[in-house]
Amino acid sequence: TLNEPFRESLHGTLDETKWKRIAYIIFAISVVILAAAAIFIFLYIDKEEEENEEKKEDNKINEWKWEPQGDRIKTRWAKGLDINKIWQEYPRPQLERKDWINLNGPWKYSIRTADQLSPNPFDGYILVPFPVESSLSGVMKTFTKDDILWYEKEVEIPESWKGKHILIHFGAVDWKCEVFINRNKVGQHTGGYSYFYFDITGFLKEGKNTILLKVVDVSDTVYSTWGKYQPVGKQTITPNGIWYTPASGVWQTVWLEPVNEYYIEKLEINNNYDSREIKVTFKVANNVKLPIEFKVKFNDVLVGETKGKSNEEISIKLSNENFKPWSPSEPNLYSITADLLLDSGEKVDSITSYTTIRKIESKRDSKTGKLRIYLNNNPLFNIGPLDQGYWPDGIYTAPSDEAMVYDIQKLKELGYNTIRKHVKTEPFRYYYYCDKIGMVLWQDMPSGNVDGSGSWDSSTMNGGTDTVRTQESKDNYYREWGEIIDNLKFFQCIITWTPFNEAWGQFDTEAVVNFTLSKDNLRLINAASGGNHRPVGNFLDLHSYPGPNHFLKYDDLINVIGEYGGLGLEIKNHTWKDDNWGYQVLNDKIELTNRYIEFIENLYNLIEGGISAAIYTQTTDVEGEINGLMTYDRNETKIFDVIKEYHQKLIDKLSELK
């Protein structure tokens, strides 16, 4: 039993302990409150500073005084470009959705050496999608194999896209591109001439997101190692003669797009002219088979509809009344709409597209027995220019969609029915316009590995020797050529693939032709235009400058002249530089036109001997070459449109030999 004094003492001690505990608790709570307040203030200030920095950055972009760089000639479309409205058209006509965000316009950029791991501080702004070496990029700097080109842009994902998968698409980036979202790597792509995309959903956050691109481009250092390991077309950092300014980095549209978990990735077209069927496979990732509702219209009139499954071919048979074949003279297009459904019937994707129906084959005519290019069961003389797709202000990138389509329309006005797209690819919209306007197209693979290790002899069959290529070089070739075919075979204007030009890097020709066929067996193959001829593919293609000449005949292939002409005419104040050249230089427009007509008349006389196509060099002047039908700035047409009548005579002559 505790005595009273001790009990009172104990109570006192207990009370004291209790109050101490309460004091400690109050102190701890105060510390927590003060800490929380400090953190809140810190975060608020940090957020405010971040918002201020964002506002400053936005102001910098808005205040950026973009202007074309350099003092060389420019096209009329380069003037007055709105940096916030660059290439605004939906970039993929073959598979279009309504909801998307165009990322063209100002991006931060920096050029750093390979040993510098960070892009900071950025050098300024670049106008996407113009190559860093171009005037229209606002940068116009040389980019070497030892450099890294960084791009950065902030974007905010719309609230309406919540719960969607977000895709980032790139029309083309030359050459190797790594993509980071909020400093996390989402993927990389190698190849400067083919489209690619990534699903970036898992890397996004609330508010603004940072897109960072890291690009390297070996291009070349000197001619002897030009394009040694990668396809480069005609790019060189030492432009001269037929080799031109490089186009590094982003050079086609970049865009964002929301989709559901299941969505249509691409359309594969396998139309059958003879059975009058439109046949489409709607590809969905992972070979998932879901219901598809598919409609086809012609001039807004429904001509067929059906249901099927994704990843399986769906066919619509056309009636005689609705059968409208495509040709250069009648470029008929059918519009397509398709809905992807879940098994429950819920719609998860809707796209619009288009197609044409035509037949292309190699066939002997009944009059001479020579192999010809047959379109829709009729021989068609392919007459058109070599088209390199270069621009004085944008290099690989036209200033605008309007500028790009101008070239095709102008060639159509001059009576051409064909374009040979020379060692370069174009944006998807280019091929769409060829479909729409009516242009047959020969598509080259961009060359590379031109190092002198092989020999070139185009005067005989089986002449010349292969280029010696490393396995890395071969792998780069096959990967990129395969992607180009996969990306472009939708477009029915393309009737032939050309893997090699003039023995530039030519190797294992038969294996490359077989590889091309494995990717697409619905078109003709021009194994080596003007190169080392091999008895494979569909063409024997001769290059003859300046005038056309049938110097080698081979009855088991279609005989064509894949390059001729190159007639030069200098137009003052419309040349790239003072030191210019052509294969034959004329004095004026009249003289040039007359000489050109002589060449056409020579071709006319070569048709019965087997010549079935002729490609004139070229659409426009390019840098130091003044052998274009138009000046490099597209301001002057250097030939009279009377040539249209002579082109038609070639077409009519071959048609008579059916």
Side-chain angles (χ1 to χ4, degrees):
T1 303
L2 297 173
N3 59 36
E4 202 61 29
F6 184 79
R7 186 186 301 274
E8 291 175 2
S9 174
L10 180 61
H11 275 297
T13 303
L14 290 173
D15 287 344
E16 185 181 343
T17 303
K18 180 176 72 174
W19 286 110
K20 281 184 178 179
R21 285 177 180 167
I22 292 171
Y24 288 147
I25 291 170
I26 292 171
F27 177 75
I29 291 171
S30 300
V31 170
V32 170
I33 291 171
L34 287 170
I39 291 170
F40 175 79
I41 292 169
F42 176 78
L43 291 176
Y44 177 80
I45 293 171
D46 189 56
K47 184 179 180 183
E48 192 171 38
E49 287 179 353
E50 186 177 326
E51 288 175 352
N52 287 336
E53 285 301 314
E54 288 177 359
K55 287 178 182 176
K56 285 180 184 177
E57 191 59 48
D58 290 341
N59 289 335
K60 283 181 184 177
I61 291 176
N62 293 330
E63 293 170 2
W64 180 42
K65 301 299 182 184
W66 170 86
E67 59 182 4
Q69 298 297 298
D71 57 0
R72 294 189 188 270
I73 57 169
K74 297 171 180 61
T75 65
R76 58 184 174 276
W77 299 278
K79 298 174 182 176
L81 282 183
D82 183 341
I83 65 172
N84 296 308
K85 294 181 179 179
I86 301 296
W87 279 89
Q88 292 293 290
E89 300 78 12
Y90 188 83
R92 189 181 51 187
Q94 71 272 33
L95 199 166
E96 185 167 353
R97 296 186 179 91
K98 292 180 179 178
D99 208 3
W100 67 294
I101 292 176
N102 192 325
L103 297 182
N104 292 339
W107 289 54
K108 289 192 287 187
Y109 90 97
S110 62
I111 297 176
R112 297 287 176 267
T113 55
D115 59 347
Q116 295 174 296
L117 301 180
S118 170
N120 291 311
F122 284 91
D123 298 341
Y125 298 98
I126 184 170
L127 192 59
V128 168
F130 299 108
V132 68
E133 298 93 344
S134 73
S135 170
L136 294 184
S137 71
V139 177
M140 199 174 171
K141 290 182 179 177
T142 301
F143 186 69
T144 74
K145 66 182 181 62
D146 299 316
D147 292 327
I148 294 175
L149 175 58
W150 296 90
Y151 294 82
E152 187 176 275
K153 190 177 186 70
E154 287 190 334
V155 296
E156 195 158 358
I157 306 302
E159 187 69 21
S160 60
W161 290 14
K162 249 186 181 174
K164 300 279 191 179
H165 285 252
I166 311 301
L167 310 180
I168 187 167
H169 301 265
F170 298 86
V173 182
D174 197 358
W175 177 61
K176 179 180 177 182
C177 177
E178 297 179 63
V179 180
F180 301 83
I181 303 295
N182 298 319
R183 301 289 168 164
N184 296 300
K185 184 174 178 178
V186 300
Q188 70 180 44
H189 177 266
T190 301
Y193 297 92
S194 53
Y195 153 86
F196 62 99
Y197 78 94
F198 299 111
D199 186 332
I200 60 174
T201 312
F203 301 90
L204 297 171
K205 63 181 183 180
E206 293 287 334
K208 290 197 174 181
N209 292 267
T210 301
I211 303 170
L212 181 70
L213 311 179
K214 178 184 178 182
V215 179
V216 295
D217 185 17
V218 175
S219 288
D220 74 325
T221 49
V222 293
Y223 178 77
S224 61
T225 57
W226 175 78
K228 184 87 174 168
Y229 303 109
Q230 68 183 72
V232 296
K234 287 202 169 185
Q235 302 178 72
T236 173
I237 62 171
T238 54
N240 64 92
I242 63 171
W243 315 113
Y244 318 130
T245 305
S248 301
V250 178
W251 66 276
Q252 290 187 26
T253 293
V254 185
W255 78 100
L256 292 176
E257 190 171 42
V259 294
N260 289 310
E261 179 182 1
Y262 299 111
Y263 60 93
I264 299 168
E265 282 190 302
K266 65 186 299 188
L267 281 67
E268 291 190 351
I269 305 294
N270 186 25
N271 296 338
N272 191 307
Y273 176 92
D274 292 325
S275 62
R276 303 187 175 187
E277 285 180 284
I278 291 176
K279 302 166 79 173
V280 183
T281 302
F282 297 90
K283 303 292 286 185
V284 173
N286 302 317
N287 203 34
V288 175
K289 288 181 169 55
L290 292 173
I292 286 275
E293 293 181 349
F294 171 35
K295 294 181 181 180
V296 175
K297 292 182 178 181
F298 185 80
N299 287 341
D300 291 327
V301 176
L302 185 68
V303 298
E305 60 182 318
T306 189
K307 295 181 180 180
K309 293 283 188 180
S310 59
N311 295 305
E312 293 180 357
E313 191 170 77
I314 305 173
S315 176
I316 289 179
K317 193 170 181 65
L318 300 169
S319 67
N320 290 344
E321 180 185 358
N322 294 324
F323 181 59
K324 309 289 184 182
W326 180 94
S327 69
S329 58
E330 294 185 73
N332 296 313
L333 302 185
Y334 293 91
S335 62
I336 289 174
T337 58
D339 294 327
L340 179 68
L341 312 173
L342 296 179
D343 290 328
S344 64
E346 179 187 352
K347 187 187 298 184
V348 291
D349 197 12
S350 294
I351 63 99
T352 60
S353 185
Y354 76 96
T355 191
T356 72
I357 190 162
R358 58 103 177 109
K359 178 182 180 181
I360 193 72
E361 61 183 329
S362 169
K363 186 178 175 181
R364 295 189 186 276
D365 71 60
S366 60
K367 299 288 178 65
T368 69
K370 304 293 184 183
L371 284 170
R372 310 291 186 179
I373 302 165
Y374 268 67
L375 176 66
N376 302 338
N377 296 326
N378 291 294
L380 178 68
F381 193 93
N382 286 203
I383 179 69
L386 190 77
D387 193 292
Q388 311 209 55
Y390 267 79
W391 298 81
D393 35 33
I395 308 178
Y396 262 15
T397 310
S400 66
D401 190 80
E402 179 189 356
M404 183 180 69
V405 73
Y406 175 84
D407 279 5
I408 305 169
Q409 290 171 327
K410 175 57 71 173
L411 295 174
K412 187 77 172 181
E413 290 170 10
L414 291 173
Y416 294 108
N417 61 17
T418 303
I419 294 172
R420 179 184 170 199
K421 183 51 63 176
H422 190 41
V423 294
K424 182 193 182 243
T425 60
E426 293 289 355
F428 290 141
R429 292 186 64 82
Y430 182 92
Y431 302 94
Y432 160 69
Y433 283 128
C434 286
D435 279 339
K436 186 178 180 180
I437 293 169
M439 274 290 183
V440 164
L441 201 132
W442 298 10
Q443 178 62 55
D444 287 10
M445 168 61 179
S447 305
N449 218 134
V450 181
D451 62 0
S453 59
S455 63
W456 176 28
D457 179 5
S458 61
S459 63
T460 61
M461 178 58 72
N462 290 315
T465 58
D466 279 4
T467 298
V468 179
R469 300 179 76 142
T470 64
Q471 192 58 48
E472 178 188 10
S473 175
K474 291 181 180 181
D475 291 346
N476 285 339
Y477 176 94
Y478 278 117
R479 179 182 59 250
E480 192 150 4
W481 185 223
E483 287 184 0
I484 288 170
I485 295 171
D486 285 342
N487 289 333
L488 297 183
K489 66 183 179 182
F490 169 91
F491 299 100
Q492 301 295 290
C493 59
I494 300 175
I495 67 160
T496 189
W497 303 113
T498 305
F500 298 114
N501 177 74
E502 290 188 351
W504 298 351
Q506 187 176 348
F507 74 100
D508 299 346
T509 308
E510 185 174 358
V512 169
V513 167
N514 289 336
F515 172 81
T516 306
L517 283 169
S518 74
K519 287 289 181 181
D520 178 22
N521 62 4
L522 300 176
R523 289 172 172 82
L524 305 176
I525 299 178
N526 186 359
S529 179
N532 292 330
H533 307 302
R534 306 288 183 256
V536 294
N538 302 103
F539 290 85
L540 176 76
D541 184 331
L542 307 175
H543 290 187
S544 175
Y545 286 102
N549 185 5
H550 197 178
F551 57 83
L552 177 64
K553 299 182 181 181
Y554 193 77
D555 284 342
D556 291 333
L557 296 171
I558 304 170
N559 287 211
V560 302
I561 297 175
E563 290 184 30
Y564 80 99
L567 298 176
L569 175 61
E570 182 173 331
I571 305 293
K572 295 295 183 184
N573 302 318
H574 295 282
T575 56
W576 178 253
K577 58 181 185 176
D578 295 330
D579 183 19
N580 301 300
W581 70 279
Y583 288 95
Q584 184 179 44
V585 178
L586 289 306
N587 294 313
D588 55 39
K589 191 171 178 178
I590 295 174
E591 195 173 284
L592 173 62
T593 303
N594 287 337
R595 188 79 172 112
Y596 181 92
I597 290 171
E598 286 179 25
F599 288 169
I600 296 296
E601 289 173 337
N602 289 345
L603 285 170
Y604 188 89
N605 295 327
L606 295 176
I607 288 177
E608 289 199 14
I611 290 298
S612 299
I615 303 297
Y616 176 80
T617 300
Q618 60 185 325
T619 300
T620 71
D621 297 347
V622 181
E623 300 198 356
E625 296 183 42
I626 53 169
N627 47 26
L629 297 161
M630 292 183 282
T631 54
Y632 199 15
D633 57 13
R634 277 74 169 172
N635 277 355
E636 300 285 338
T637 300
K638 299 194 286 183
I639 199 163
F640 290 106
D641 59 9
V642 66
I643 62 172
K644 181 175 183 177
E645 301 171 17
Y646 290 87
H647 295 157
Q648 191 59 48
K649 288 179 181 178
L650 291 176
I651 295 166
D652 292 343
K653 174 70 177 289
L654 184 55
S655 180
E656 292 167 2
L657 298 178
K658 179 181 176 180

